[in-house]
């Protein structure tokens, strides 16, 4: 056929009826048209961002979610680019929380599983774009959001630069870095973390080695365990009888460091010093006993034996300021608590 236009190619055949295209206008194009016309009346977190920042971030987010971590945006067809941009924009326009959820999905679907894997492996072309290829043009808040996500989920060493900013505080530990920080050999530390419920009981050595642990939570927990008080020594530590300690433990007034349902909790019942010290501090805040009423007041053990109530109930009432009590300055801990048996009974 040598015809050079549609009319000649059709010959005598009639033209079909004209029909409107039924495809909806992509959301990002509607936003773009409104923004260019200056008719944006709704308040949005994108108001202070340039068109290029919003569209580039949307295209990259949608491209990775649709085509994977190694997507080459320049090789997508026009239709694929439009679809990716529209998907990314539907997320980006909702704000930081929606973007963080998308970053969660991108990280979760990454083929990288080793704890040593870097941000490029976890976030693919998104990280490559923000780390190297967007330096000439400010990419906007997407860079800060990705950096926060990396620091929140990776064991970043202090002093490491992430997307142009030096990280000064460690947020997460690997098993190896945690071992070095708390001074416990890795095999023993792994067993301890399983007892504490920080590592699943059936996790293999490789799985444990690939986990990360929140520094602010795990380091104090390990240090508390290293200085913990055995249940056999608690009575002396808080100035109570062994029977009283058993009662406090059974009623949950003093709580073991390893949960009762945890592996090894029955064999090794220990209590954090800080937890026991908080009980002793509360007792030390009781008013001192006046010598003039010393003979009228009795120890908490005595009044409970005389029908004032169960020991744990009376102690809870004292600690919660429902039962008046004083502190004998010549004694320590629970043994220093003195009350009036008649006022308790009332």
């Amino acid at each position: 056929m040598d015809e050079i236009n549609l009319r000649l190619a059709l010959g005598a055949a009639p033209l079909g009826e004209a029909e409107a295209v039924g495809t909806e206008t992509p959301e990002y194009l509607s936003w773009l048209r409104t923004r260019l016309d200056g008719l944006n009346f709704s308040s949005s977190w994108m108001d202070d961002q340039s068109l290029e920042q919003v569209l580039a971030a949307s295209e990259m987010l949608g491209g990775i979610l649709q085509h994977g971590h190694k997507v080459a945006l320049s090789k997508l067809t026009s239709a694929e680019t439009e679809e990716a941009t529209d998907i990314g924009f539907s997320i980006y326009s909702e704000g930081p929380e929606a973007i963080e959820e998308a970053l969660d999905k991108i990280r979760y679907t990454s083929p990288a599983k080793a704890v040593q894997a870097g941000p490029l492996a976890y976030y693919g072309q998104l990280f490559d774009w923000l780390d190297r290829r967007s330096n000439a043009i400010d990419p906007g808040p997407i860079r800060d959001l990705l950096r926060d996500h990396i620091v929140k989920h990776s064991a970043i060493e202090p002093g490491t630069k992430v997307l142009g900013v030096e990280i000064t505080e460690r947020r997460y530990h690997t098993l190896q870095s945690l071992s070095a920080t708390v001074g416990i050999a890795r095999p023993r530390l792994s067993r301890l973390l399983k007892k504490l419920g920080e590592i699943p009981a059936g996790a293999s050595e490789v799985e444990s080695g690939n986990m990360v642990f929140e520094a602010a939570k795990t380091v104090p927990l390990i240090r508390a365990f290293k200085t913990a008080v055995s249940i056999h020594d608690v009575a002396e530590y808080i100035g109570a009888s062994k029977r009283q300690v058993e009662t406090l433990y059974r009623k949950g007034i003093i709580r073991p460091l390893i949960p009762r349902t945890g592996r090894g909790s029955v064999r090794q019942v220990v209590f954090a010093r800080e937890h026991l010290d908080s009980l002793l501090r509360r007792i030390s805040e009781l008013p001192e006993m006046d010598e003039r009423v010393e003979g009228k007041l009795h120890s908490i053990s005595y009044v409970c034996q005389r029908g004032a109530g169960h020991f744990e109930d009376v102690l809870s009432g004292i600690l919660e300021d429902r039962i008046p009590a004083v502190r004998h300055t010549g004694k320590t801990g629970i043994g220093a608590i003195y009350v009036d048996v008649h006022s308790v009974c009332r």
Side-chain angles (χ1 to χ4, degrees):
M1 295 177 65
D2 297 325
E3 288 78 2
I4 59 174
N5 62 49
L6 180 63
R7 180 68 269 175
L8 291 175
L10 290 174
L15 292 174
E17 294 292 329
E19 294 182 7
V21 177
T23 305
E24 293 184 6
T25 302
E27 184 182 356
Y28 79 92
L29 287 179
S30 299
W31 169 82
L32 181 60
R33 184 178 298 114
T34 303
R35 179 83 173 258
L36 290 174
D37 291 341
L39 301 175
N40 187 20
F41 302 111
S42 61
S43 176
S44 168
W45 88 293
M46 299 185 298
D47 290 346
D48 297 328
Q49 300 178 48
S50 69
L51 298 178
E52 186 172 18
Q53 288 173 338
V54 173
L55 295 177
S58 299
E59 183 183 30
M60 184 58 74
L61 281 174
I64 292 178
L65 290 171
Q66 281 293 97
H67 302 282
H69 288 61
K70 296 182 179 181
V71 60
L73 295 179
S74 61
K75 295 183 179 180
L76 297 180
T77 65
S78 297
E80 288 173 334
T81 299
E82 182 173 275
E83 180 187 29
T85 305
D86 198 37
I87 290 172
F89 181 82
S90 67
I91 297 169
Y92 196 81
S93 60
E94 292 185 14
E97 289 186 7
I99 296 172
E100 185 173 357
E101 289 181 9
L103 294 177
D104 287 341
K105 184 174 181 180
I106 290 173
R107 185 181 178 98
Y108 178 76
T109 56
S110 165
K113 301 302 176 187
V115 71
Q116 296 86 359
L120 180 61
Y122 279 114
Y123 302 95
Q125 292 301 312
L126 176 61
F127 178 80
D128 185 55
W129 169 55
L130 294 173
D131 189 46
R132 296 192 301 112
R133 294 188 286 120
S134 67
N135 291 333
I137 301 174
D138 179 11
I142 185 68
R143 176 182 281 166
D144 294 334
L145 291 172
L146 179 58
R147 182 190 305 108
D148 290 344
H149 200 271
I150 292 170
V151 173
K152 184 178 179 181
H153 294 87
S154 302
I156 304 296
E157 293 281 348
T160 304
K161 273 195 172 183
V162 178
L163 297 177
V165 174
E166 182 176 324
I167 305 303
T168 58
E169 182 182 359
R170 180 187 283 279
R171 293 276 299 276
Y172 283 82
H173 275 290
T174 63
L175 190 61
Q176 187 64 39
S177 65
L178 183 60
S179 172
T181 299
V182 299
I184 299 178
R186 178 171 164 168
R188 179 170 170 244
L189 179 61
S190 179
R191 293 193 298 271
L192 175 57
L193 289 171
K194 287 182 179 180
K195 290 179 181 179
L196 295 172
E198 297 299 308
I199 294 179
S204 67
E205 185 177 346
V206 173
E207 291 171 332
S208 300
N210 285 335
M211 293 179 66
V212 292
F213 307 91
E214 189 176 354
K217 173 188 175 184
T218 310
V219 172
L221 185 63
I222 298 298
R223 287 177 174 160
F225 189 86
K226 290 178 70 175
T227 59
V229 180
S230 166
I231 191 170
H232 304 296
D233 300 322
V234 170
E236 181 179 355
Y237 194 87
I238 65 173
S241 68
K242 290 188 180 296
R243 185 181 182 84
Q244 288 173 335
V245 169
E246 291 171 0
T247 300
L248 296 177
Y249 172 52
R250 187 175 65 253
K251 296 295 183 180
I253 296 175
I254 56 173
R255 298 180 300 278
L257 198 53
I258 299 176
R260 295 185 188 188
T261 55
R263 188 178 178 185
S265 60
V266 177
R267 297 190 306 272
Q268 193 173 19
V269 181
V270 295
F271 299 84
R273 285 181 185 270
E274 186 174 351
H275 176 53
L276 299 178
D277 288 344
S278 65
L279 172 63
L280 294 175
R281 277 195 300 272
R282 180 66 191 90
I283 295 173
S284 70
E285 293 169 356
L286 295 175
E288 294 183 3
M289 185 171 63
D290 192 327
E291 294 180 357
R292 291 173 296 180
V293 296
E294 185 171 349
K296 301 178 182 179
L297 303 179
H298 300 279
S299 69
I300 186 173
S301 302
Y302 179 89
V303 298
C304 290
Q305 292 169 1
R306 294 302 182 275
H310 295 294
F311 166 72
E312 64 274 16
D313 296 332
V314 175
L315 179 63
S316 296
I318 293 170
L319 298 178
E320 296 168 6
D321 291 325
R322 291 184 285 103
I323 297 176
V326 296
R327 175 173 52 87
H328 194 301
T329 56
K331 301 184 179 183
T332 59
I334 289 178
I337 301 175
Y338 274 61
V339 292
D340 176 12
V341 63
H342 299 296
S343 64
V344 175
C345 291
R346 286 197 300 270

